[in-house]
Amino acid sequence: MFLFRKSQERVSVDEAQAITSGDQSDAVLLDVREKNEWKSGHAPNAVHAPLTGLVTGGALPATAQGRTLVVICRSGHRSQQAAKLLAERGADAVDVEGGMNAWAAAGYPVVDERGNSGSIA
């Protein structure tokens, strides 16, 4: 079952936060930034899958497989690429408009690799 309309390609950070929060969500926030960016700061409930790996045919992490994917990067450019790629592979995927910059600006939490307060690199 698809959570999004096929024509829907982007969601706001507020929509992303709402649909990926909670233990019962069928959607996962998929962060496609590179490892150093991820380590500096990411959404607490996000799953990491760098775009470079996805482009070369890498599999999604097990926690993201079979779920609706809400794809995020720093500003929204890479997440658009990733969402399109994943949709072409049959996934229900949309990207987050404005990326982690917009996420942090909206006041949503950002944590580093240790779970402490993080920053967007």
Side-chain angles (χ1 to χ4, degrees):
M1 184 171 116
F2 288 99
L3 182 62
F4 302 108
R5 299 180 309 276
K6 285 294 184 186
S7 62
Q8 186 175 8
E9 297 176 355
R10 306 196 92 184
V11 295
S12 70
V13 291
D14 293 330
E15 291 170 307
Q17 194 280 333
I19 61 179
T20 62
S21 63
D23 295 335
Q24 303 301 317
S25 178
D26 289 332
V28 62
L29 188 64
L30 185 71
D31 192 320
V32 296
R33 295 174 301 145
E34 295 305 313
K35 188 174 184 176
N36 63 325
E37 295 172 288
W38 167 264
K39 288 172 128 182
S40 293
H42 57 273
N45 61 334
V47 173
H48 188 223
L51 177 60
T52 53
L54 296 173
V55 167
T56 59
L60 287 169
T63 54
Q65 292 179 10
R67 297 175 70 187
T68 297
L69 305 172
V70 180
V71 187
I72 197 165
C73 66
R74 184 177 51 84
S75 64
H77 180 71
R78 287 175 284 178
S79 59
Q80 280 185 298
Q81 291 178 294
K84 181 179 179 190
L85 173 73
L86 292 164
E88 289 170 355
R89 293 181 184 172
D92 184 17
V94 295
D95 86 288
V96 180
E97 192 169 7
M100 285 300 297
N101 287 334
W103 179 275
Y108 293 119
V110 176
V111 296
D112 67 11
E113 66 180 326
R114 294 189 175 114
N116 300 317
S117 181
S119 62
I120 306 307

